[in-house]
Amino acid sequence: MPRMINNCLRRTPFLLIPILTGVLIAGCGSSSSSTTSVTGGGSSASASEAASAATGDIPDNQQFLRYTNSAAGYSLVYPQGWARKGSGNDITFSDKDNSVEVQITKGSSPTVSSVAAELKQEAAKDPTLQPGQPQQMQVPSGPAIHVVYHVQGPPDPVTGKKPTLMVDRYVLGSKGRVATVNEATPVGVDNVDAYRKIIESFRWN
């Protein structure tokens, strides 16, 4: 290396030496190069996913299982690993402060006004419930009434705090049966895609 630098310096005018020394060293030096690798991206992504999961976000790679309730006459998918409680016409799947409840009753096909009236009755019993405006929509299993409302949830088993829940309610009817599907998640937690998958998987048997 010193010999190569000296040869280059002898071919360079004296007054330019201070300016070009750095350039000459780079040009006349070794031709070896180094590369810089960025590490930790995967770890950062994993940490971010873990943090999201801790708050209740359903991960993009979540696996779903199909639950069939032969007695009540329906089936739908739910996130693998979620706890299931209840039986018959009232089943709830839950994890952290997230929950999906399916209630089956007898009755005529729901309407915007009937769903609004039912929410009004519930709000009279629970002052934390803030009902939204029901709207008619179509899901794969047929017509449905959809409404979003907010309500204070039960105390968190770890923190003891009562989270404010945003609930997507879908009410569907078929042959004298009415299914009310409540998909609840804490405000600020984004489970839109997973919950859409669940309601679109609903099928009458």
Side-chain angles (χ1 to χ4, degrees):
M1 176 70 74
R3 180 176 299 173
M4 295 177 68
I5 294 174
N6 290 336
N7 289 338
C8 289
L9 292 177
R10 281 198 293 269
R11 295 197 301 268
T12 305
F14 179 78
L15 293 177
L16 295 179
I17 289 176
I19 300 174
L20 300 180
T21 298
V23 177
L24 291 171
I25 291 174
C28 300
S30 171
S31 61
S32 64
S33 62
S34 62
T35 59
T36 302
S37 61
V38 179
T39 60
S43 298
S44 297
S46 298
S48 177
E49 291 175 0
S52 296
T55 63
D57 283 351
I58 300 173
D60 294 337
N61 61 351
Q62 173 69 53
Q63 298 296 311
F64 290 79
L65 303 175
R66 178 161 287 276
Y67 168 74
T68 299
N69 189 329
S70 300
Y74 73 89
S75 70
L76 82 169
V77 301
Y78 69 96
Q80 184 178 22
W82 281 30
R84 188 182 81 204
K85 67 177 182 179
S87 61
N89 293 329
D90 193 348
I91 299 290
T92 299
F93 304 92
S94 61
D95 180 68
K96 301 182 178 67
D97 293 318
N98 298 317
S99 66
V100 175
E101 181 185 27
V102 185
Q103 293 179 320
I104 305 296
T105 57
K106 294 181 179 180
S108 56
S109 296
T111 63
V112 168
S113 59
S114 68
V115 173
E118 185 175 1
L119 269 178
K120 185 176 181 180
Q121 292 178 355
E122 293 180 21
K125 300 176 183 178
D126 185 351
T128 70
L129 193 154
Q130 302 174 8
Q133 179 60 46
Q135 296 181 341
Q136 189 166 8
M137 65 174 297
Q138 189 78 16
V139 294
S141 61
I145 306 299
H146 175 229
V147 61
V148 178
Y149 65 92
H150 292 79
V151 66
Q152 190 176 67
D156 184 279
V158 177
T159 65
K161 296 181 179 179
K162 295 182 178 180
T164 298
L165 303 177
M166 182 176 74
V167 184
D168 279 270
R169 171 174 290 185
Y170 297 87
V171 187
L172 312 91
S174 175
K175 300 178 180 179
R177 297 171 297 172
V178 177
T180 300
V181 182
N182 292 317
E183 300 179 327
T185 195
V187 171
V189 176
D190 182 5
N191 286 328
V192 173
D193 292 338
Y195 278 176
R196 182 185 299 116
K197 180 182 181 72
I198 291 172
I199 190 59
E200 290 183 349
S201 75
F202 183 92
R203 297 289 185 274
W204 290 108
N205 295 341

